[in-house]
Amino acid sequence: MFNIYYINYAKAYEIAMLFDNHLLKEISKEKDTIYEGQGKGGINAEKLDEVPILKNFVPKVTLEGDISGSKTKKVIDTVQVISTKSTILNVIYKKSKEANLVNGNSIGQLIKIRNVKLHVENAEDVQGSKALTSGILKQIPIDGMGNVDLTGFADVFLKDSAYILSGKLESEIDGADSILLKIPMQAENEMESQYSISDLEVGPTTVLGVYRGKYLKRDLIDKIDLFHNNKKQDTVSEIESDLDENNDGRDKSMDIHFIDVIAIIQELIIK
């Protein structure tokens, strides 16, 4: 069993439908109960003579014989099956290949990586973008124009922004099994069950996704990090300096594996 931190539901749904495109909506169980009986009985009309009105109309008849019969009772129980994000994701969870070591996986392989310690690479840039989309630019006084709402402009500018997360496996040897993830940034409901992005940095997680290959970390961040691309207006030395400062000196020249993330979950132990 598992608890969902983050899920790209559209992606998960499409992949799950490739395995089985029939969604179970209800289960009906039919139960038949048959009763059978057999015995002797009789009818004696002589006692009806004691009723004044009936004695002239009912003949004096005595009947005896065997009696047998059966009765069938049919009960149909219908159970509604509720489809949730967890049930959709469970299909992918069961079909994915468990990868203790990322090396050796083919590009396009659906994988499940347990015990990953995640870290937000672009934390400072994320805080800045959150401030811009929070409404801080809603009423900005501009000469000749009055108060202008720049929140919409910020939303458009930051619509392709994302959290960049790096992860380390417990089995990591000399950084050979570090991974990189990208989660699109949204104004709200980014995480499931009221979790926040910071919750992903607490304790080990399990990552479900598609393996996309191994890259030089600096080159990969150039491709997927909008904030980093905006910094390219500065000199190369300033870019490298900013990156090292923002990421606590982590080595950008190392090889890292990119995972097209479907979901990040917490494994549940039920005893």
Side-chain angles (χ1 to χ4, degrees):
M1 296 181 68
F2 55 81
N3 182 43
I4 300 177
Y5 283 126
Y6 164 79
I7 182 172
N8 186 321
Y9 183 70
K11 191 181 299 181
Y13 185 88
E14 289 298 323
I15 294 176
M17 290 300 99
L18 293 175
F19 294 117
D20 184 3
N21 62 354
H22 294 87
L23 287 177
L24 188 62
K25 292 187 177 180
E26 63 181 29
I27 299 174
S28 296
K29 295 181 180 180
E30 186 175 301
K31 182 180 180 181
D32 292 334
T33 304
I34 300 176
Y35 303 93
E36 293 187 352
Q38 189 172 10
K40 292 185 177 181
I43 301 174
N44 190 336
E46 293 183 355
K47 296 294 184 181
L48 295 178
D49 287 345
E50 299 177 0
V51 182
I53 299 177
L54 297 179
K55 66 179 181 179
N56 296 324
F57 298 96
V58 179
K60 297 179 180 179
V61 178
T62 300
L63 299 175
E64 292 185 359
D66 294 333
I67 299 174
S68 63
S70 65
K71 182 180 180 182
T72 301
K73 182 180 180 181
K74 179 180 290 186
V75 178
I76 299 177
D77 293 329
T78 301
V79 179
Q80 184 179 6
V81 179
I82 300 175
S83 179
T84 65
K85 293 178 180 180
S86 296
T87 57
I88 293 295
L89 186 60
N90 193 44
V91 176
I92 300 174
Y93 181 87
K94 292 179 178 179
K95 295 289 186 179
S96 59
K97 174 186 175 183
E98 186 161 349
N100 293 323
L101 298 175
V102 180
N103 280 317
N105 289 293
S106 301
I107 294 178
Q109 175 71 53
L110 185 63
I111 61 175
K112 172 173 56 199
I113 312 173
R114 301 181 191 269
N115 298 321
V116 182
K117 296 178 180 178
L118 294 173
H119 175 80
V120 180
E121 290 278 321
N122 58 344
E124 292 185 3
D125 294 327
V126 165
Q127 292 175 359
S129 68
K130 287 293 186 181
L132 292 175
T133 56
S134 66
I136 194 173
L137 301 179
K138 196 170 184 65
Q139 296 293 330
I140 302 298
I142 298 179
D143 291 342
M145 299 180 65
N147 291 333
V148 178
D149 184 1
L150 297 180
T151 304
F153 172 78
D155 290 340
V156 173
F157 178 73
L158 298 171
K159 68 182 180 67
D160 293 327
S161 58
Y163 300 104
I164 307 299
L165 296 96
S166 61
K168 292 187 177 182
L169 283 65
E170 287 188 349
S171 57
E172 180 188 11
I173 302 175
D174 296 331
D177 295 305
S178 292
I179 63 175
L180 201 70
L181 315 173
K182 175 184 176 181
I183 296 179
M185 191 180 300
Q186 301 174 13
E188 55 185 19
N189 298 327
E190 294 168 327
M191 303 291 126
E192 300 297 315
S193 303
Q194 297 185 355
Y195 286 116
S196 65
I197 192 69
S198 60
D199 290 315
L200 300 181
E201 297 183 290
V202 181
T205 63
T206 296
V207 176
L208 294 171
V210 180
Y211 181 66
R212 295 286 297 274
K214 184 168 66 174
Y215 300 85
L216 188 66
K217 187 174 183 179
R218 180 184 290 111
D219 293 341
L220 183 56
I221 290 179
D222 285 346
K223 297 178 186 295
I224 67 175
D225 190 356
L226 170 68
F227 301 115
H228 175 58
N229 289 335
N230 291 334
K231 292 178 182 178
K232 283 189 174 182
Q233 303 299 324
D234 302 326
T235 63
V236 174
S237 60
E238 289 174 336
I239 294 175
E240 293 177 348
S241 176
D242 289 342
L243 283 172
D244 290 340
E245 181 180 352
N246 289 341
N247 295 281
D248 302 326
R250 281 179 290 279
D251 187 4
K252 290 294 182 296
S253 64
M254 63 183 289
D255 287 334
I256 197 164
H257 301 270
F258 183 50
I259 308 298
D260 185 0
V261 62
I262 298 172
I264 301 173
I265 63 175
Q266 177 186 38
E267 304 276 358
L268 299 180
I269 300 175
I270 306 298
K271 294 185 178 179

